[in-house]
Amino acid sequence: MISYHLISKVGERDNNEDSVGMFQAGAEYCFALADGLGGHGKGEVASRIAVEQAVAAFAEAGKASEEVIRTAFGNAQDAILAEQRADRTASDMKTTFVYLLVGEEEIRWAHIGDSRLYRFERGKLAERTLDHSVPQMLVAAGEIKEKQIRHHPDRNRLLRVMGVNWEEPRYQLGGPVPASPGQAFLLCSDGFWEWIEEKKMLSALKKADSPEDWISRMEEMILKQGRGKNMDNYSAIAVWVD
């Protein structure tokens, strides 16, 4: 059994450039989250295109698979580049993207940029996606610690995004893992994870009685930490496998 909850909030900005979406096909699901970048207020266009294309790819296939992930990212990238060509004011628009497919037997995901996926299993953090960013690269090189990413001065310098021409796909695949009970997934934009550490996510998860309750508890912590500090848009999707 799958339960879930989605939010996308403007924070303390004038415009929400995040997008979220989901689709259910029988007993299988897709969840998509994107954080748009770019001038002229076009970031929300890029994020919306990514989510719409990813949801459409899953809806057409009706089943979770790696092929659906590749189709979703390919179609989204093509559509964003086409929009850039059609609208000169959108030439700088880009987006991060994270995509989760929950099948009856397996769960798989993919991401690009610094929107993250966390997987919790039986009360512990099992894994998270690694950001395609300068600070994450510095962690890999041993120059800074993982906890320093959140407020690093170069945190917004991304190394991979959608909306930039690539000769080969630059997203990163995750999974598959068995669709076994006791797992919880969190997809979130950087405006969300910036203000809450993993131990707080886990603490909220242990107290929550539903995905909606889990997000609500985390959002309360985020607002306490970030309010009055020019909070970015923040979005999250919580998915429980019961």
Side-chain angles (χ1 to χ4, degrees), residues 158-170:
L158 301 182
L159 304 175
R160 303 186 197 180
V161 289
M162 302 186 72
V164 175
N165 282 296
W166 59 36
E167 293 182 3
E168 59 184 32
R170 305 203 68 201

Side-chain angles (χ1 to χ4, degrees), residues 28-215:
E28 307 206 353
Y29 300 77
C30 85
F31 300 92
L33 182 149
D35 177 1
L37 318 162
H40 305 288
K42 295 293 185 177
E44 77 267 20
V45 177
S47 67
R48 174 180 53 79
I49 289 172
V51 169
E52 288 178 350
Q53 290 291 334
V55 167
F58 176 77
E60 183 173 350
K63 191 169 181 63
S65 69
E66 184 177 320
E67 183 180 356
V68 169
I69 291 176
R70 296 189 184 282
T71 299
F73 274 81
N75 290 353
Q77 170 77 346
D78 290 346
I80 291 168
L81 294 177
E83 182 66 21
Q84 290 175 354
R85 292 191 294 269
D87 181 357
R88 293 181 64 183
T89 67
S91 61
D92 293 332
M93 72 175 185
K94 305 170 186 68
T95 190
T96 70
F97 188 52
V98 57
Y99 191 41
L100 173 68
L101 299 183
V102 181
E104 289 191 81
E105 302 295 331
E106 290 184 331
I107 300 171
R108 59 185 75 232
W109 58 91
H111 82 290
I112 189 169
D114 65 352
S115 289
R116 293 181 175 179
L117 179 142
Y118 292 87
R119 182 173 74 89
F120 300 86
E121 187 168 18
R122 305 202 179 280
K124 296 182 179 180
L125 175 60
E127 59 186 304
R128 81 156 173 89
T129 54
L130 299 180
D131 308 331
H132 298 131
S133 69
V134 168
Q136 188 74 69
M137 184 176 64
L138 294 175
V139 171
E143 295 184 24
I144 66 170
K145 296 186 181 299
E146 183 80 26
K147 64 182 181 181
Q148 294 177 278
I149 290 177
R150 280 181 168 81
H151 303 295
H152 194 278
D154 289 330
R155 204 199 76 210
N156 293 325
R157 289 182 62 192
L158 301 182
L159 304 175
R160 303 186 197 180
V161 289
M162 302 186 72
V164 175
N165 282 296
W166 59 36
E167 293 182 3
E168 59 184 32
R170 305 203 68 201
Y171 56 86
Q172 192 168 342
L173 294 168
V177 298
S180 52
Q183 297 183 87
F185 293 85
L186 175 66
L187 289 69
C188 55
S189 62
D190 67 328
F192 190 94
W193 60 255
E194 174 183 9
W195 299 109
I196 182 168
E197 294 183 355
E198 287 77 7
K199 62 183 180 181
K200 296 290 187 181
M201 296 175 183
L202 189 55
S203 173
L205 175 60
K206 290 177 177 178
K207 295 174 183 176
D209 57 17
S210 68
E212 182 175 4
D213 186 29
W214 184 26
I215 285 187

